Amino acid sequence: MNYQQMAIPPRSEHLWRYTPWPRIHPTVTDEVPKADEVIFSLEGGDAFEAVAPTDHSYDDIARAFLQAAGGSSSRLIINESSEPVHINARASGHVAVGHLELEIKGSAVVFIHISGEPEWVGLHITGTIHPNAQLSFGFINELDSNTKFLRCEDWMIERDAELEHATLSVGGFRCKSDLRSTLNGTGASIRQSVTVNAIGARHEDQHVEIHHLHGRTNSDLVMNSACAGSSHFIGTGLLTIAEGANKSDASQVFRNLLLSEKARAEAIPELEVLADDVSAAHGAASAPVDKNQMHYLMSRGLSPEESQAMIVNGFLLNAFSNLTNKFLIEEMRTRLTVHLECELKR
Amino acid sequence: MRVVAEEILRIENLHVTVEGTSILKGVNLTIHRGEIHAIMGRNGAGKSTLANVVMGHPAYVITEGSIFYRGQPLEELAVFERARAGMFLSFQYPAVIPGVQVGTFLKKAVTSVRDEAPKGRAFRKELTAAMEQLSMDKSFLSRYVNDGFSGGEKKRLEILQMLLLKPNLALLDETDSGLDIDALRIVAKGINEVAVDSACLIITHYQRLLDLVKPDYVHAMINGAIVQTGGPELALELEDRGYDWLDVTA
């Protein structure tokens, strides 16, 4: 079904409850504006393979819209890489859209840094991790603070393959992400972390779906957000374990730190378990900064502002604690620390 | 001519409430530089309240009386200013700060208290020496502050901070609890080092720490007030006889 044939999804749908489609669409919902291209470049200047846009038929309105809007379309195949691969995604113009296809056949570490100042940016990443391959993937959103951002990802993780997936979202004004992963073979695993620093009037909606289709598959999701000002963060998770996917292990933890009275946060993990012999857990918590933590740090000479900044920094960094790849952890920690230091100086 | 050591802490007729409940009921205490004082008492006597209120914990309300630090009224100083002025509290239950590495935290604390960033090489040397003294492995530095620490590890980290921050006034709130005898010896060594040139107030239930850190004065606290003061022999007597003989309400 193409975008123009689709009905606007109702707010009663879990995915569209907090950021309905008209709020994230770049103009009015029956329009598909002409999109400029998001330019993908590899650090060092190597070029991507430009590919024809996919003719896949999507059921989901966000993916169908990004397909209809066009923009750039690139593919990167990595057989094996000992050094991290940095991809810069640069958006410009009024409305910019990019499609990126990643195919991982060995072991690799890939970072995508998205930046730019368009009013609206759309990005669709599809990835396949082949059997026995490992990908450590970091996504860093550093878009302009006035940009609306729609991001969709679809990952297929094959037998005995591993995906470590980290998101650091500190850019954009209104952001909606819909990240879906399918564990498509026995022994497949994903460790995923999402870190969001919401300041001012930012609105950030992160939806993560992980589907266990086979037995002995593992998933671990940690989502931490710090919300200041009048920001609003929404974290929704959907974890499904298919019938027969026994011996699977899945967990989702959502934590929100509320830094002002006007800041809001929702944390809604959902489970659908159809197999009998599995381990599945989920938890969610939203709370202000702990007074005892503040007192402890202030008793060591840190001012109230420095104490809160250290607690927030630690809280956000802690979202990466379920990751294991040292390049991935180091890069995400560094990016977050630099961002928070810049914010403290503002 | 006898030289009088500097007065570090003076507490006058201190009354404190927590959530409307009266905890301290007229505490008087003066500590000079170079002195080690120990406060002993039953659970709930108000010992930890005294340490916390001196350090400025917001949950405690002073309803009467005053606290002076080096002659300055403490109510004029916020918690972080007290630390920067040279006050240190070793917490009974130190807070866990997930995501904040011990190394980062120590450097920030030292920078705040000394009012300048420590020089890299010199600081590393100082830190290494202090950690070796406390038999702490370097891997501590990359762990998150008190996250997953055993009771003994938490207490060692408190003493490590005290060694680095070199306070004028060290308040040690049940630093001996949760320590085995070897760890107690190590921690006591750290306290003795700092106590040489500072004022030290040790809060404890037991005599065993005071075997290793010799107090100049021992105070018995009952029901929010100091009811008896003596030398080290008072600690032995309290250990032997308990507190009933001092409790007029018993």
Side-chain angles (χ1 to χ4, degrees):
Chain A
M1 196 186 296
N2 68 40
Y3 174 72
Q4 299 288 10
Q5 297 168 316
M6 291 177 127
I8 305 301
R11 293 185 70 164
S12 57
E13 279 186 25
H14 183 57
L15 179 60
W16 298 105
R17 190 171 304 157
Y18 297 96
T19 314
W21 177 242
R23 284 198 76 201
I24 196 66
H25 188 284
T27 55
V28 288
T29 54
D30 55 357
E31 258 185 25
V32 181
K34 175 87 179 93
D36 290 311
E37 293 188 342
V38 170
I39 306 298
F40 297 105
S41 62
L42 285 169
E43 213 162 79
D46 291 344
F48 277 89
E49 178 190 356
V51 293
T54 173
D55 56 359
H56 188 89
S57 176
Y58 292 106
D59 295 332
D60 168 64
I61 196 165
R63 287 162 176 79
F65 177 80
L66 291 173
Q67 186 179 45
S72 61
S73 193
S74 300
R75 179 193 292 156
L76 181 66
I77 299 171
I78 301 177
N79 290 312
E80 187 78 32
S81 173
S82 56
E83 291 295 313
V85 175
H86 289 266
I87 299 170
N88 290 314
R90 181 75 193 165
S92 58
H94 174 63
V95 172
V97 173
H99 300 264
L100 180 63
E101 193 182 326
L102 293 170
E103 205 170 323
I104 310 299
K105 296 182 173 177
S107 174
V109 182
V110 175
F111 294 102
I112 295 184
H113 309 260
I114 188 159
S115 61
E117 299 169 354
E119 283 187 25
W120 195 92
V121 177
L123 185 64
H124 188 187
I125 298 171
T126 53
T128 302
I129 325 286
H130 284 257
N132 298 308
Q134 291 105 33
L135 173 64
S136 295
F137 177 81
F139 185 89
I140 298 143
N141 165 13
E142 293 174 320
L143 286 162
D144 182 76
S145 57
N146 292 313
T147 299
K148 277 192 200 177
F149 182 39
L150 172 65
R151 167 186 169 211
C152 296
E153 290 185 17
D154 295 288
W155 293 93
M156 191 61 72
I157 307 162
E158 303 291 356
R159 176 184 49 78
D160 293 321
E162 289 179 23
L163 173 61
E164 282 204 326
H165 188 295
T167 293
L168 171 60
S169 183
V170 295
F173 171 69
R174 184 177 299 153
C175 305
K176 184 172 179 77
S177 296
D178 178 357
L179 315 177
R180 302 181 186 188
S181 300
T182 302
L183 298 167
N184 197 41
T186 304
S189 72
I190 179 170
R191 287 183 292 277
Q192 188 162 8
S193 75
V194 177
T195 300
V196 174
N197 190 33
I199 56 174
R202 261 189 99 201
H203 175 102
E204 172 100 24
D205 186 334
Q206 292 273 349
H207 176 74
V208 175
E209 290 186 14
I210 298 173
H211 302 286
H212 293 244
L213 300 189
H214 291 263
R216 293 201 298 280
T217 48
N218 298 306
S219 69
D220 182 6
L221 169 65
V222 177
M223 198 183 290
N224 282 11
S225 83
C227 303
S230 58
S231 63
H232 188 191
F233 173 74
I234 304 106
T236 53
L238 176 60
L239 179 66
T240 67
I241 302 181
E243 194 174 348
N246 289 320
K247 309 287 182 194
S248 290
D249 192 331
S251 98
Q252 295 191 343
V253 177
F254 294 67
R255 302 185 199 98
N256 301 312
L257 195 55
L258 297 168
L259 303 174
S260 77
E261 287 188 5
K262 287 186 176 174
R264 288 181 296 153
E266 335 283 339
I268 306 156
E270 288 192 359
L271 290 175
E272 276 180 26
V273 181
L274 300 176
D276 297 326
D277 182 14
V278 299
S279 169
H282 65 145
S286 297
V289 173
D290 184 279
K291 285 179 183 169
N292 286 325
Q293 290 179 338
M294 284 291 288
H295 179 66
Y296 186 72
L297 294 182
M298 288 192 291
S299 77
R300 300 305 186 241
L302 280 71
S303 69
E305 296 76 20
E306 290 170 328
S307 299
Q308 179 162 308
M310 183 170 268
I311 291 165
V312 171
N313 194 345
F315 172 79
L316 293 175
L317 286 171
N318 205 29
F320 304 131
S321 59
N322 64 338
L323 306 176
T324 59
N325 183 278
K326 65 178 182 183
F327 289 114
L328 182 61
I329 295 168
E330 194 55 39
E331 178 72 13
M332 302 309 279
R333 288 181 71 98
T334 302
R335 291 281 176 165
L336 175 60
T337 303
V338 168
H339 162 75
L340 292 173
E341 281 174 1
C342 291
E343 193 185 298
L344 200 61
K345 285 175 186 163
R346 271 190 210 123
Chain B
M1 191 176 76
R2 184 169 174 262
V3 178
V4 179
E6 181 193 5
E7 177 192 285
I8 299 292
L9 181 71
R10 178 159 41 96
I11 299 172
E12 293 178 350
N13 190 32
L14 187 67
H15 289 69
V16 171
T17 62
V18 181
E19 295 174 354
T21 304
S22 179
I23 306 291
L24 297 185
K25 299 162 185 171
V27 173
N28 292 287
L29 181 67
T30 302
I31 308 179
H32 296 90
R33 189 180 293 279
E35 290 179 354
I36 298 175
H37 290 238
I39 293 188
M40 300 180 76
R42 298 182 181 119
N43 284 333
K47 307 183 299 297
S48 293
T49 295
L50 181 63
N52 280 305
V53 79
V54 170
M55 204 63 215
H57 195 290
Y60 301 91
V61 179
I62 296 175
T63 55
E64 195 179 337
S66 302
I67 309 172
F68 298 90
Y69 172 70
R70 303 181 83 181
Q72 185 183 7
L74 260 188
E75 63 261 30
E76 293 174 3
L77 297 179
V79 177
F80 71 98
E81 292 169 323
R82 296 179 196 207
R84 291 178 186 182
M87 295 173 62
F88 178 86
L89 170 61
S90 168
F91 285 83
Q92 185 179 359
Y93 303 110
V96 176
I97 320 282
V100 176
Q101 290 182 318
V102 168
T104 306
F105 164 63
L106 290 175
K107 194 167 182 187
K108 185 71 182 167
V110 168
T111 302
S112 300
V113 169
R114 295 183 190 170
D115 200 24
E116 64 174 356
K119 300 271 187 301
R121 202 172 175 182
F123 180 63
R124 277 196 297 278
K125 200 173 164 188
E126 183 185 356
L127 182 57
T128 303
M131 291 182 75
E132 281 175 1
Q133 186 180 334
L134 295 170
S135 300
M136 294 170 81
D137 190 85
K138 274 189 177 174
S139 62
F140 254 86
L141 298 175
S142 57
R143 292 172 69 184
Y144 296 152
V145 176
N146 293 316
D147 196 3
F149 281 26
S150 68
E153 287 174 330
K154 286 180 183 174
K155 297 301 165 78
R156 282 186 208 207
L157 180 56
E158 294 294 286
I159 300 302
L160 176 64
Q161 293 172 57
M162 186 175 73
L163 289 172
L164 294 171
L165 298 177
K166 300 179 174 59
N168 291 308
L169 174 64
L171 308 162
L172 301 157
D173 188 6
E174 300 202 18
T175 298
D176 50 345
S177 66
L179 295 181
D180 60 40
I181 192 66
D182 292 330
L184 190 68
R185 281 203 185 95
I186 290 166
V187 163
K189 197 175 159 197
I191 296 171
N192 282 322
E193 185 180 314
V194 167
V196 171
D197 195 35
S198 67
C200 202
L201 178 62
I202 296 171
I203 289 164
T204 184
H205 278 289
Y206 307 109
Q207 161 65 26
R208 61 178 199 156
L209 177 62
L210 304 182
D211 286 336
L212 301 166
V213 180
K214 295 290 180 202
D216 299 292
Y217 300 93
V218 174
H219 310 276
M221 180 175 267
I222 291 179
N223 196 24
I226 291 174
V227 297
Q228 185 90 356
T229 294
E233 71 285 350
L234 178 58
L236 294 169
E237 193 169 3
L238 291 170
E239 184 96 339
D240 186 42
R241 295 176 64 188
Y243 295 92
D244 283 348
W245 63 286
L246 292 171
D247 189 353
V248 292
T249 62

